[in-house]
Amino acid sequence: MRYGCNELGIYTIILSLEKAEKICIGSLGEIDFAPGYYAYTGSARGPGGCRRVDRHIQILQGKRMTRRWHIDYLLPQAGLVEVFITRTSRDLECSIAEMVGEHLVPIRGFGSSDCSCISHLHYGEDLESTMAAVSLAHSRAASIA
């Protein structure tokens, strides 16, 4: 399964956790994750573009062991639900993360160590509301991309 391409963009990966997990997330330390759905928003505006999404999926599947970002520690514990990609060269990562955060619960400090956002990972109890929040954020971003 390949999601990435050479184009630049912003992505949100929706993950599921079936049961509560305590996971050590690199420099953030141990975090308690509730069962439910998690939406992680990241940037693919560097070399390789949206192929970064494929890298994340390889970590999720256990095919790659390198842990570079906060999300890399959560991926092996989660199931992949969906990937949303807005193809753009504009820096919309924080905007999309903030829009997702208007509807879902932020996991404070996750994925946002290089910006002033509360978080780039958000929690939703049910799939429907999580998908709706992410879809709306990417639709809004696409209109300004």
Side-chain angles (χ1 to χ4, degrees), residues 8-10 86-92 96 138-145:
L8 306 181
I10 308 300
T86 298
R87 285 166 173 68
T88 181
S89 61
R90 295 191 57 200
D91 186 8
L92 299 176
I96 290 174
H138 277 268
S139 293
R140 288 166 63 189
S143 71
I144 59 172

Side-chain angles (χ1 to χ4, degrees), residues 13-126:
I13 299 174
I14 298 180
L15 304 168
S16 65
L17 280 181
E18 291 187 17
K19 59 184 177 69
E21 297 270 354
K22 182 176 280 219
I23 303 170
C24 185
I25 305 293
S27 62
L28 292 178
E30 285 193 340
I31 297 178
D32 290 315
F33 290 90
Y37 298 90
Y38 291 85
Y40 173 75
T41 302
S43 174
R45 294 175 45 244
C50 292
R51 286 185 301 186
R52 180 170 289 179
V53 174
D54 293 331
R55 178 194 174 278
H56 290 323
I57 292 169
Q58 290 172 344
I59 290 174
L60 184 142
Q61 295 172 336
K63 295 178 182 176
R64 185 184 284 243
M65 305 315 272
T66 304
R67 305 294 184 256
R68 184 173 297 155
W69 297 287
H70 293 151
I71 190 63
D72 294 342
Y73 297 90
L74 174 59
L75 288 166
Q77 312 303 321
L80 177 66
V81 176
E82 184 65 80
V83 177
F84 289 79
I85 298 174
T86 298
R87 285 166 173 68
T88 181
S89 61
R90 295 191 57 200
D91 186 8
L92 299 176
E93 177 184 7
C94 293
S95 298
I96 290 174
E98 288 173 8
M99 286 187 270
V100 171
E102 291 171 7
H103 304 281
L104 302 176
V105 179
I107 307 303
R108 188 166 291 281
F110 195 108
S112 58
S113 57
D114 61 348
C115 65
S116 61
C117 294
I118 294 170
S119 182
H120 283 220
L121 180 71
H122 298 88
Y123 169 76
E125 286 185 20
D126 64 273

